[in-house]
Amino acid sequence: MYRPKLFTGIDLDRRTRESCAEISGRLQAQGLPAKFEPAQKLHVTLAFLGWVEPERVEAIEGVLRSVAFEFKPFTLTLDRVGAFPHERRPRVVWIGSRQQGEAFRALAHNLRDAYARIGFTFDKDAVAHVTIARIKGGHSHLPLLDIKPMRLRVRKLTLFESLPDGKTTRYEPRAYAALQGGGERGSE
């Protein structure tokens, strides 16, 4: 039986996607030995759900819509390059936010709480970031890179499906839910 691999996130607008790709190119030009993500895969993850039973998809989409209804659109500023677990031993290179903001934190928290009520678990809080590269091996540090802050207007949530694509994956939107502010949550 086919089981989709799903996650909920924030899709990037064209300008933010292009800016992230330009930063990725700058790191490549500096010789960072990483596997860089193609621009079309860039996004902000809010909740990774993993492989799910097909009969759960309707409930997952219901959570997406109900949480989106509660929150007003907001702006997320992406203004730094960083790495997990940290910049001296990077494994995952990202573009993120120095101050995630109350709207992002509340949205991510409420979304994950709603998914938890239908049986999903999360081991850590969401961090506002766009993964741009992954490093294998023992590279010793992430190059310092100043970037111009990007203001991403968050207007909707997207349920993505991760699909095999040759030796990698691609992310296809499965469902969208516009932020509506019905519960007056979120802010600029």
Side-chain angles (χ1 to χ4, degrees):
M1 172 177 34
Y2 174 74
R3 293 182 337 150
K5 186 176 185 182
L6 303 177
F7 65 92
T8 298
I10 299 166
D11 207 357
L12 304 184
D13 58 42
R14 181 188 52 80
R15 185 178 65 237
T16 304
R17 186 176 307 281
E18 289 172 356
S19 295
C20 288
E22 184 269 331
I23 292 164
S24 180
R26 288 170 54 197
L27 287 170
Q28 289 177 58
Q30 289 189 20
L32 185 66
K35 180 179 184 269
F36 288 86
E37 294 289 344
Q40 66 269 22
K41 287 180 70 174
L42 302 180
H43 65 278
V44 176
T45 299
L46 292 166
F48 180 76
L49 305 173
W51 302 102
V52 301
E53 300 302 323
E55 59 271 12
R56 296 183 77 191
V57 173
E58 187 176 327
I60 290 167
E61 290 177 355
V63 165
L64 184 80
R65 288 187 301 272
S66 68
V67 171
F69 176 78
E70 295 292 318
F71 285 84
K72 295 186 281 188
F74 63 95
T75 300
L76 177 63
T77 301
L78 302 172
D79 56 1
R80 68 179 286 237
V81 177
F84 297 131
H86 50 74
E87 286 79 9
R88 290 169 305 195
R89 300 291 291 168
R91 295 282 185 202
V92 175
V93 180
W94 47 260
I95 299 167
S97 180
R98 292 180 201 283
Q99 296 187 3
Q100 299 181 88
E102 181 56 35
F104 176 85
R105 285 191 301 277
L107 175 64
H109 176 77
N110 286 344
L111 182 68
R112 286 168 173 233
D113 274 359
Y115 282 139
R117 287 192 293 277
I118 62 169
F120 291 94
T121 59
F122 305 95
D123 58 353
K124 52 189 170 186
D125 292 335
V127 175
H129 74 282
V130 176
T131 297
I132 60 171
R134 298 177 194 285
I135 299 173
K136 290 186 179 180
H139 191 71
S140 62
H141 70 283
L142 180 67
L144 294 176
L145 195 64
D146 287 326
I147 66 169
K148 181 179 177 183
M150 296 166 267
R151 293 178 50 81
L152 174 62
R153 188 73 177 148
V154 179
R155 293 185 170 95
K156 66 182 175 184
L157 301 178
T158 303
L159 179 64
F160 290 96
E161 182 173 356
S162 179
L163 297 163
D165 191 15
K167 292 183 179 182
T168 185
T169 56
R170 72 179 189 281
Y171 304 142
E172 292 291 331
R174 255 189 98 117
Y176 299 101
L179 300 184
Q180 299 178 34
E184 294 299 315
R185 296 184 183 195
S187 64
E188 290 299 307

